[in-house]
Amino acid sequence: MPKVTVRFWAAAKAAAGVAEEPYAAATLAEALDAVRERHPGELTRVLQRCSFLVDGDPVGTRGHETVRLADGGTVEVLPPFAGG
């Protein structure tokens, strides 16, 4: 199972209470399920409005279950930013 770092930005970081955490997940969907399990509540609501980068590449509208994660990779959780 790939080990990835999930980095939280802005409102996601505030809701998680941490800037980043390690997760073991094969797909983005699995990683986000693990995030929701670890952080029920506000972060779960914030994730609904977020966009994601996997190893620097935008996920866009691809199904999260189709986005494979690489060992040592990074998932960036990006809430909407004011003015950007």
Side-chain angles (χ1 to χ4, degrees), residues 16-79:
V18 296
E20 63 182 45
E21 294 178 317
Y23 286 90
T27 66
L28 178 58
E30 289 177 10
L32 294 176
D33 286 345
V35 168
R36 289 181 193 97
E37 186 175 312
R38 190 178 291 177
H39 299 282
E42 182 61 23
L43 183 55
T44 297
R45 289 184 287 280
V46 171
L47 289 175
Q48 295 173 1
R49 300 184 311 271
C50 288
S51 57
F52 305 95
L53 299 177
V54 173
D55 296 330
D57 293 325
V59 171
T61 59
R62 289 183 287 161
H64 294 168
E65 67 282 351
T66 68
V67 179
R68 307 291 303 170
L69 302 178
D71 195 44
T74 303
V75 174
E76 307 280 347
V77 179
L78 305 168

